[in-house]
Amino acid sequence: MRRTVLAFFVALSAFCGNAFADKFPTHPITIVVPFSAGGPSDAMMRILAERMKTTLGETILVENTTGAGGSIGVGRVVHSPPDGYTVGFGHLGTHVANGAIYKLGYDLVNDLEPVVLLPSNPMVIVSKNAVPAKSLPELLAWLKSQPQPATAGTAGAGSGSHVAGLAFEAAGGITLQYVPYRGTGPALNDLVAGQIDVIVDQLSNSINQVRAGTIRAYAVTDSKRVEQAADIPTTDEAGLPGFHMTLWSGLWVPKGTPRDIVTQLNAAAVDALNDPAVRKQLENLGLQMPPADKLTPQALGAWQQAEIAKWWPIIKAANVKVD
Ligand code: MLT
């Protein structure tokens, strides 16, 4: 009898042990945003994290690990344990452009597992109010007339705002002097204060300052206007046809993270993206939800690799030097 009872409790503890070993999460999850607080990456992630914790049943800590165009924050994720408790936010800049600019010490595709595609938005060309231009052609003329290159705020070499600046230079036949920040949140503060001349910024970051009239917008880098900023013309309408750029974003985890944990993180993000209140908050910033058929981890992986194939030749041709 005693042997049977003992065997039962041994089996029970093994089951419970396994059950506890398989339960995820059992403590707070950290989502690393590789840019400073108050910027567009940070804003989007905090909105999503607030809803993701409901599905996951654990606190989500958003940590801003900044520097080097976001590559320091991505490296923090790459070198974290593959247990699902460290998740990385990133976008076209950090998970594509950085690979063409920096000697990263990690591989953007092979050292990370894709989790889910997140919202995207076009870029918007904005200037300080002191610039005497009321249209994109007038802005281009002003930029070309400056004795020294105008200053353009970015979130560092390889950031989305930097890649967009390079594309603006090429499309407009202009030269800019880049001023790097740890994110476009602080860059925008300096634009409002008149300390720098322009930013090619994520619309979601500049939209409220444009609405308030503290900066001036010239065009969005898309073929159609954004409903929430319908008074801003497209680059096609404003005189730079074909200068289109969409900054997409996503979540990744370290390579080797168990598939069932990736699935749980993906499901929590999809729940957040499908939540009407979350969608309203994000869409009010001019953000566009990812297509419903592109929400699998595999879809993000395929998209990232296609974007690498598209952008690396362009960025390498720009011969960007990072000190
Ligand atoms: C970028 O320029 O890469 C981002 O907008 C930076 C940020 O999110 O702060």
Side-chain angles (χ1 to χ4, degrees), residues 45 48-56 60 251 265 268-269 272:
M45 199 57 246
L48 290 167
E50 187 57 32
R51 177 60 181 75
M52 286 175 68
K53 71 183 187 184
T54 303
T55 302
L56 291 165
I60 294 183
L251 293 180
L265 293 169

Side-chain angles (χ1 to χ4, degrees), residues 66 102 104 107 147 162 165 175 179 219 249 265 270 290 307 311 315:
T66 65
Y102 295 98
L104 292 173
D107 185 297
H162 179 230
T175 302
V179 181
S249 54
L265 293 169
V270 171
E307 288 282 277
W311 283 99
I315 294 167

Side-chain angles (χ1 to χ4, degrees), residues 33 35-36 38-42 69 89 91 93-94 123 154-156 158-162 182-186 200-202 205 247:
V33 169
F35 298 106
S36 50
S41 303
D42 183 67
F89 176 93
H91 59 32
T94 55
M123 307 304 279
T154 74
S159 64
S161 43
H162 179 230
R182 289 184 175 274
T184 42
V200 189
D201 192 14
Q202 286 193 62
N205 193 46
L247 197 74

Side-chain angles (χ1 to χ4, degrees), residues 121-123 219-227 232-238 240-246 288:
N121 60 165
M123 307 304 279
V220 291
T221 60
D222 203 342
S223 56
K224 58 192 182 309
R225 295 194 180 204
V226 175
E227 183 189 333
I232 304 176
T234 66
T235 41
D236 292 358
E237 293 170 317
L240 275 185
F243 174 25
H244 299 159
M245 178 178 163
T246 298
Q288 292 139 8

Side-chain angles (χ1 to χ4, degrees), residues 135-173:
S135 68
L136 189 52
E138 288 180 16
L139 175 66
L140 289 169
W142 182 83
L143 289 168
K144 290 172 182 174
S145 70
Q146 297 310 294
Q148 297 299 325
T151 52
T154 74
S159 64
S161 43
H162 179 230
V163 173
L166 294 173
F168 183 38
E169 285 184 298

